[in-house]
Amino acid sequence: MRILLAAPALALAACTPATSPTPPSTDTAALMTWGDLTARVRPKTDATIAYGADAVQKVDVWLPSTPGPHKTVLMVHGGCWTTGIADRTLMDWAAADLRDAGYAVWNIDYRGIDVGGGYPGTFADAGAAADALRVHAERFGLDTRKIVAVGHSAGGHLALWLAARPKLPPDSRLRTADPLPIAHVVSLGGLPDLERTADTPDNGCGVKVVADLVAGANPVDRYRDTSVARLLPIGVPQDHVAGLQDRIIPLDLKTDFVAKAKAAGDQATLHRIDRTGHVELVSPGTAAWDKTRELIAKAFAE
């Protein structure tokens, strides 16, 4: 397992909802670290499938004990699009918590920019991993009629991008004929606007990683099929959960994107969580994760 602590800036993480008019807390001493999460007893997945030949091209499947078909969450980990920083196992606790709540979880992995990813690799992997869900749906009792995607950090970008695939330009190398439909996206501290992220040096991933991610894309416009902001409106409801003390992903990256999505006609809602950084966003037992559970349940009920 790799964790985000591998990146120095990411050691400062944490997450919580701010619905009161009081100013956000300035006390960051109690914020969670990645060590707080990974010190917990690690739950075990129910199955792992391969969707490609590379060792990273795997999906962990988490299945409730009740009979299917199961409401299914497609989960996408973060880690600055870099496998050396994080892999799918960082989401084990969140996936297990959803399994306990009665959901199946399709927790995907993908090649980061450091292991053959970038463009088109990272994007193609995310798409192939998502589309493999339909291939294995009958085997695992997965209900494909409504898929809710949940992504954290860079995974928030990829979850939204997966939902936006039908909007890709016709000549995009990333376009596929029949992408898995995503009904709703919950982005946890996500980075969906790559151009804005590349112009924000104080984001925890830095700006070089974005340049590396899109280096192989169309040289005239590297963002036209990689940045979700360029694909708006995506026509999929979105919830964006933001920790007010998140030092990894600045709040304005999320407020700006939500404003763009709304202006384009999408249903997009920002949920501000006080006393929360980056880690709480995927840590069961926190206010941020409670909000995410609530949003997932509401998405399936709609």
Side-chain angles (χ1 to χ4, degrees):
M1 180 200 70
R2 303 169 184 83
I3 57 176
L4 293 174
L5 287 175
L10 298 178
L12 302 172
C15 198
T16 320
T19 53
S20 86
T22 56
S25 172
T26 58
D27 179 15
T28 59
L31 295 180
M32 289 182 67
T33 67
W34 288 113
D36 293 330
L37 176 62
T38 59
R40 298 178 181 183
V41 175
R42 182 176 295 279
K44 294 182 179 180
T45 187
D46 296 286
T48 299
I49 67 101
Y51 64 89
D54 192 277
V56 177
Q57 293 171 320
K58 298 288 196 298
V59 176
D60 285 341
V61 190
W62 301 74
L63 298 171
S65 57
T66 54
H70 308 293
K71 296 176 181 177
T72 302
V73 172
L74 190 158
M75 184 170 281
V76 193
H77 73 83
C80 300
W81 306 277
T82 304
T83 300
I85 292 177
D87 60 25
R88 68 189 184 279
T89 62
L90 193 62
M91 305 297 281
D92 282 353
W93 295 271
D97 186 69
L98 291 179
R99 176 180 63 186
D100 292 346
Y103 302 103
V105 180
W106 189 259
N107 183 23
I108 73 170
D109 220 332
Y110 50 89
R111 289 171 295 167
I113 58 173
D114 53 335
V115 292
Y119 187 102
T122 297
F123 298 89
D125 279 7
D131 293 341
L133 190 158
R134 279 189 299 205
V135 176
H136 296 275
E138 184 176 358
R139 171 187 173 189
F140 293 117
L142 309 179
D143 187 345
T144 60
R145 292 174 297 176
K146 176 179 281 189
I147 301 296
V148 175
V150 176
H152 177 242
S153 199
H157 158 256
L158 290 173
L160 284 159
W161 181 85
L162 287 169
R165 283 192 293 165
K167 300 297 295 290
L168 290 172
D171 62 342
S172 170
R173 293 174 64 191
L174 304 176
R175 190 174 178 88
T176 55
D178 186 25
L180 176 77
I182 305 295
H184 198 110
V185 179
V186 182
S187 174
L188 311 175
L191 293 158
D193 189 337
L194 295 183
E195 287 176 281
R196 183 77 171 79
T197 302
D199 288 336
T200 307
D202 62 338
N203 86 79
C205 289
V207 297
K208 184 179 183 300
V209 67
V210 177
D212 291 342
L213 179 68
V214 302
N218 188 309
V220 176
D221 185 352
R222 299 193 188 280
Y223 297 106
R224 70 185 190 114
D225 60 350
T226 58
S227 179
V228 183
R230 289 293 194 88
L231 301 170
L232 295 171
I234 65 172
V236 175
Q238 313 152 32
D239 285 295
H240 299 258
V241 182
L244 292 185
Q245 290 74 37
D246 189 339
R247 305 185 199 177
I248 307 306
I249 310 301
L251 182 64
D252 61 358
L253 290 181
K254 291 176 278 290
T255 55
D256 287 359
F257 179 81
V258 169
K260 289 178 181 178
K262 285 182 173 181
D266 274 340
Q267 179 185 325
T269 306
L270 178 63
H271 306 270
R272 298 173 174 87
I273 314 294
D274 197 12
R275 301 182 185 277
T276 292
H278 207 56
V279 181
E280 288 88 341
L281 291 169
V282 291
S283 298
T286 64
W289 186 250
D290 287 348
K291 169 56 72 173
T292 297
R293 285 264 305 258
E294 174 190 322
L295 293 171
I296 292 170
K298 182 179 178 181
F300 277 111
E302 291 175 344

